[in-house]
């Protein structure tokens, strides 16, 4: 069975840790995405795994075997680089065959594998074409065919779609997934593009300043970010983050946003009362703010009760099938708290708010994520 595990990796350049105690494990057949802003250390992790860099500490295990000290050739990893790493002086056949020739495989075996990989990626008619006569999308497929033909135990991708235009990127994504499914080995894919990450990942890890911030299913990270960095980084638009206070209500703790009181689930009581300060950062996802035309339905489903209030629509921007509305909450506090809501278009288009209008909205306290402003970590319900 093939699994990839990195344990406590550290890499320093000029005394600065660019990879800082990073650990994760990718299961057989899993597509794992490392997502983070530029300079967060993602490529360095990838280069350590494929053997192009040595870590200052930590280990890389492939199928349970420590490969930290092996040369790149000995590791059996298939890597697709951002610039594809193709040889312009060779044709498509030569590029796919290159790694296999280095392994000194018999000619017939090389031919069989090249033809098979080319067929899977619709490259058969292009086998004798020079690399520089191919489009970006075709070059990308050659890079994929090359790792498919190899006997790799893990596939590594370093932003392989970054140079493609939006239309090709969509198809190329499907090719990446198809190659992954064909071989079923662990895949590690590095990107700074969250839409790509969310579309591809079985599991997702967010990296910032050399450290892993959170690892989990894409839906978990979107709904339950572990800290403010993940909350700000993920989601389009990202989670709304408002300053609030914890106060006591008649039936337990409430979250106060100005004069608004959102009754919290009593399960929060312990986590909230053990804190020395009442201030809190309240996270609310744009798609979880209830639009006027869904209030009745949402009130029936919310627990604890849905908090209704009037808000002013500052801007209303139609998207495809959705509308993005910037709302100002009605509080005496200045500046008034603002929220971005994304709503599905109402069936009756007249129901769409106009900029400047006051409208009833709903906030579901059960969907709030609460963060400690000092540690920046999400609070957990016991
Ligand atoms: P990412 O892939 O997330 O953009 P990288 O892993 O490429 O980030 O880089 C992380 C940090 O390490 C960056 O600040 C980068 O400048 C630095 N870095 C990467 N390689 C070297 C190197 N060979 N020498 C010095 N600094 C490096």
């Amino acid at each position: 069975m093939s699994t990839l595990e990195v344990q406590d990796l550290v890499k320093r350049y000029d005394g600065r840790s660019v990879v800082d105690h990073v650990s994760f494990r990718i299961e057989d057949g899993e597509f794992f995405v490392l997502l983070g802003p530029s300079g967060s250390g993602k490529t360095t992790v990838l280069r350590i795994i494929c053997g192009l860099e040595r870590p200052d500490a930590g280990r890389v295990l492939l199928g349970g075997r420590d490969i930290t000290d092996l040369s790149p050739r000995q590791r059996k990893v298939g890597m697709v680089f951002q610039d594809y790493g193709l040889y312009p002086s060779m044709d498509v056949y030569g590029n796919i065959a290159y790694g296999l020739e280095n392994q000194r495989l018999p000619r017939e075996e090389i031919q069989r594998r090249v033809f098979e990989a080319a067929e899977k990626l619709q490259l058969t008619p292009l086998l004798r074409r020079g690399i520089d006569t191919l489009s970006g999308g075709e070059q990308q497929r050659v890079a994929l065919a090359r790792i498919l033909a190899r006997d790799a135990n893990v596939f590594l991708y370093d932003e392989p779609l970054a140079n493609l235009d939006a239309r090709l990127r969509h198809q190329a994504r499907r090719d990446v997934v198809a190659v992954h499914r064909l071989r079923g080995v662990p895949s590690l894919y590095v990107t700074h593009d969250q839409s790509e990450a969310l579309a591809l990942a079985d599991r997702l890890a967010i990296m910032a300043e050399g450290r892993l911030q959170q690892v989990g299913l894409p839906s978990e990270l979107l709904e339950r970010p572990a800290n403010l960095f993940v909350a700000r980084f993920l989601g389009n638009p990202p989670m709304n983050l408002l300053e609030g206070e914890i106060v006591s209500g008649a039936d337990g703790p409430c979250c106060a946003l100005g004069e608004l009181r959102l009754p919290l689930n009593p399960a929060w009581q312990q986590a909230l009362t053990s804190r020395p300060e009442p201030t809190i950062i309240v996270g609310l996802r744009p798609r979880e703010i209830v639009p006027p035309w869904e209030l009745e339905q949402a009130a029936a489903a919310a627990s604890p009760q849905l908090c209704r209030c009037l808000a002013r629509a500052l801007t209303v921007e139609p998207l495809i099938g959705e509308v993005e509305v910037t709302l100002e909450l009605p509080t005496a506090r200045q500046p008034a708290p603002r929220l971005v809501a994304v709503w599905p278009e109402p069936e009756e288009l007249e129901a769409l708010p106009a900029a400047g209008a006051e409208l009833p909205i709903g906030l579901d306290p059960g969907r709030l994520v609460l963060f400690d402003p000092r540690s920046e970590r999400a609070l957990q319900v016991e």
Side-chain angles (χ1 to χ4, degrees):
M1 213 179 73
S2 183
T3 54
L4 173 70
E5 190 170 359
V6 300
Q7 293 178 340
D8 222 12
L9 285 187
V10 175
K11 180 73 187 174
R12 294 185 203 94
Y13 289 119
D14 312 321
R16 186 170 69 97
S17 293
V18 300
V19 174
D20 196 359
H21 299 282
V22 165
S23 303
F24 55 80
R25 177 187 161 99
I26 310 177
E27 301 301 331
D28 208 11
E30 187 176 34
F31 201 102
F32 189 90
V33 177
L34 198 51
L35 171 69
S38 180
S40 55
K42 309 178 298 292
T43 301
T44 307
V45 169
L46 211 67
R47 289 172 62 82
I48 292 172
I49 294 170
C50 71
L52 294 171
E53 297 284 352
R54 271 194 67 80
D56 290 305
R59 303 196 302 164
V60 181
L61 306 177
L62 192 53
R65 175 170 166 240
D66 189 338
I67 59 164
T68 321
D69 295 323
L70 297 187
S71 71
R73 268 208 194 155
Q74 292 169 312
R75 293 187 184 210
K76 291 200 168 182
V77 300
M79 177 123 177
V80 181
F81 296 93
Q82 182 170 347
D83 60 4
Y84 315 134
L86 301 174
Y87 301 101
S89 58
M90 294 181 195
D91 61 12
V92 171
Y93 184 101
N95 269 279
I96 302 176
Y98 184 74
L100 307 175
E101 281 159 0
N102 278 341
Q103 286 176 35
R104 303 196 196 291
L105 292 177
R107 240 174 79 99
E108 303 74 52
E109 175 65 10
I110 294 177
Q111 204 171 55
R112 188 187 65 74
R113 289 201 199 183
V114 173
F115 285 163
E116 195 178 300
E119 194 58 32
K120 297 251 159 60
L121 286 150
Q122 297 97 46
L123 289 168
T124 308
L126 305 180
L127 278 172
R128 288 299 164 205
R129 289 265 295 272
I131 291 299
D132 50 4
T133 70
L134 303 182
S135 71
E138 287 162 347
Q139 290 188 18
Q140 148 79 23
R141 297 214 303 279
V142 177
L144 287 175
R146 190 166 57 178
I147 60 166
L148 188 60
R150 284 193 58 180
D151 218 2
N153 289 327
V154 59
F155 289 161
L156 305 174
Y157 302 88
D158 188 6
E159 308 238 9
L161 312 186
N163 295 335
L164 298 179
D165 66 41
R167 194 178 50 83
L168 281 176
R169 214 175 299 156
H170 221 72
Q171 177 56 43
R173 244 188 232 169
R174 275 188 237 135
D175 292 334
V176 168
V177 172
V179 164
H180 170 72
R181 302 255 179 270
L182 279 171
R183 289 298 297 276
V185 295
S187 287
L188 174 60
Y189 188 102
V190 157
T191 180
H192 66 275
D193 178 337
Q194 63 161 309
S195 59
E196 205 163 286
L198 292 169
L200 287 167
D202 291 327
R203 263 187 326 138
L204 184 60
I206 308 281
M207 197 161 174
E209 293 180 357
R211 284 189 288 273
L212 282 193
Q213 305 292 314
Q214 190 173 5
V215 181
L217 301 175
S219 57
E220 282 171 0
L221 271 58
L222 279 166
E223 285 170 26
R224 298 277 149 211
N227 60 33
L228 286 176
F229 179 86
V230 177
R232 290 190 183 111
F233 187 70
L234 214 54
N236 188 19
M239 189 173 255
N240 293 289
L241 296 167
L242 303 175
E243 266 180 45
E245 276 195 10
I246 299 301
V247 296
S248 302
D251 301 318
C254 280
C255 178
L257 293 172
E259 295 91 69
L260 275 182
R261 295 281 181 278
L262 289 96
L264 295 171
N265 192 315
W268 278 105
Q269 181 84 34
Q270 203 183 345
L272 295 173
T273 48
S274 59
R275 301 175 63 246
E277 292 171 38
T279 52
I280 199 121
I281 306 280
V282 182
L284 188 57
R285 295 213 298 147
R287 288 179 175 78
E288 285 170 351
I289 298 165
V290 181
W293 55 90
E294 284 178 13
L295 280 173
E296 294 312 316
Q297 206 182 332
S303 163
Q305 83 216 46
L306 189 74
C307 173
R308 296 175 186 231
C309 64
L310 280 179
R312 183 176 301 283
L314 298 179
T315 61
V316 179
E317 196 182 326
L319 309 171
I320 299 167
E322 292 184 315
V323 55
E324 185 176 310
V325 185
T326 312
L327 298 160
E328 197 168 69
L329 290 181
T331 71
R333 197 172 84 193
Q334 289 303 326
R338 285 186 181 180
L339 293 172
V340 174
V342 176
W343 292 330
E345 252 175 22
E347 278 174 31
E348 317 276 330
L349 276 183
E350 308 79 80
L352 263 185
E358 267 208 336
L359 55 150
I361 61 164
L363 306 176
D364 182 349
R367 309 297 296 180
L368 299 181
V369 184
L370 303 179
F371 298 91
D372 184 293
R374 279 175 191 259
S375 69
E376 303 205 339
R377 300 200 62 76
L379 299 178
Q380 306 293 337
V381 186
E382 296 301 315

